[in-house]
Amino acid sequence: MPLTREQIAARAAKELKDGFYVNLGIGIPTLVANYVPKGIDVILQSENGMLGIGPYPTEKEIDPDLINAGKETVTELKGTAYFSSADSFAMIRGGHIDAAILGAMEVSEKGDIANWTIPGKVLKGMGGAMDLVSGAKKVIVAMEQVARDGSKKVLKECRLPLTGKKCVNMIVSELAVIDVTPQGLVLREVAPGVTPEDVQKVTEPTLKISPELRTIRV
């Protein structure tokens, strides 16, 4: 059975290590804040100038002045710091972010990512995605593997304008966990009830099956 958006976020959160500084993108990645494993301490960073983001607020906790880069309300933790956008991007460009968990519209077998625009659509700009994919030490894409129109999103070559080249390390989708390696895409985990053949049907490149293939646990 395919994972829900929340389960995708929960599986991506398992990649976080104690002491990590982490940036969460818009969409499924923002849900990761609710699933940080117990016993580890990670610090969530937002491009709009916040270090120490907590889980989504309850209705009583909502503060309209506390928002992330996606304009969603968030909570703060003890020790949360606020700073300018310039300082925020200095952290990102300086290589101080251990992991970036981002959404994507397309990912190639080489680890290229397209996640900022669709030709013909109006948008304000690329935002921080370009800096994150080049500055973060590890880039994890958390997304649904099949688009709403049924098209494949893991491709041999991205068709949309690129955000970055050869920068994605891992894909976590509703069907699978896939590692991006110099030798190609390696299928590491599958959702409960999903077979490698199911994943291959919605993946354009040929997947290599890990000898240690296992079922995703969240």
Side-chain angles (χ1 to χ4, degrees), residues 105-148:
M105 291 175 280
E106 294 178 349
V107 178
S108 81
E109 63 182 337
K110 297 176 183 177
D112 303 336
I113 181 173
N115 76 340
W116 74 280
T117 186
I118 296 175
K121 298 280 186 178
V122 177
L123 77 166
K124 295 180 180 179
M126 184 179 285
M130 178 177 66
D131 297 275
L132 284 165
V133 298
S134 61
K137 296 173 185 175
K138 183 173 184 177
V139 175
I140 301 168
V141 168
M143 68 175 189
E144 292 168 325
Q145 196 160 335
V146 180
R148 292 179 182 177

Side-chain angles (χ1 to χ4, degrees), residues 47-217:
E47 300 105 287
N48 60 325
M50 186 175 179
L51 195 64
I53 299 171
Y56 277 121
T58 63
E59 191 169 335
K60 292 182 179 180
E61 293 174 323
I62 291 176
D63 180 344
D65 291 324
L66 276 181
I67 60 172
N68 60 21
K71 307 296 187 293
E72 298 173 309
T73 52
V74 294
T75 58
E76 61 181 1
L77 302 176
K78 185 177 180 179
T80 295
Y82 300 93
F83 35 85
S84 72
S85 180
D87 289 330
S88 177
F89 277 90
M91 294 176 189
I92 295 168
R93 294 168 183 167
H96 303 291
I97 302 301
D98 294 292
I101 303 179
L102 306 171
M105 291 175 280
E106 294 178 349
V107 178
S108 81
E109 63 182 337
K110 297 176 183 177
D112 303 336
I113 181 173
N115 76 340
W116 74 280
T117 186
I118 296 175
K121 298 280 186 178
V122 177
L123 77 166
K124 295 180 180 179
M126 184 179 285
M130 178 177 66
D131 297 275
L132 284 165
V133 298
S134 61
K137 296 173 185 175
K138 183 173 184 177
V139 175
I140 301 168
V141 168
M143 68 175 189
E144 292 168 325
Q145 196 160 335
V146 180
R148 292 179 182 177
D149 64 2
S151 61
K152 298 173 182 176
K153 296 173 68 175
V154 180
L155 308 170
K156 293 180 179 178
E157 297 285 346
C158 292
R159 301 182 180 98
L160 296 173
L162 294 182
T163 308
K165 291 185 175 183
K166 296 181 179 179
C167 54
V168 176
N169 302 105
M170 175 184 287
I171 301 166
V172 181
S173 77
E174 78 277 25
L175 299 178
V177 174
I178 300 170
D179 286 333
V180 182
T181 76
Q183 292 74 41
L185 300 180
V186 178
L187 181 61
R188 196 169 101 193
E189 300 176 24
V190 291
V194 173
T195 67
E197 291 75 23
D198 294 331
V199 183
Q200 185 62 73
K201 285 178 183 177
V202 294
T203 306
E204 190 176 75
T206 300
L207 295 167
K208 299 179 186 296
I209 311 300
S210 169
E212 299 176 353
L213 181 70
R214 60 186 182 183
T215 301
I216 296 174
R217 294 179 181 178

Side-chain angles (χ1 to χ4, degrees), residues 20-63:
F20 265 24
Y21 287 84
V22 182
N23 185 285
L24 303 179
I26 297 170
I28 293 174
T30 59
L31 300 172
V32 170
N34 290 336
Y35 298 101
V36 175
K38 293 181 180 180
I40 73 167
D41 182 23
V42 300
I43 299 175
L44 302 180
Q45 189 257 15
S46 182
E47 300 105 287
N48 60 325
M50 186 175 179
L51 195 64
I53 299 171
Y56 277 121
T58 63
E59 191 169 335
K60 292 182 179 180
E61 293 174 323
I62 291 176
D63 180 344

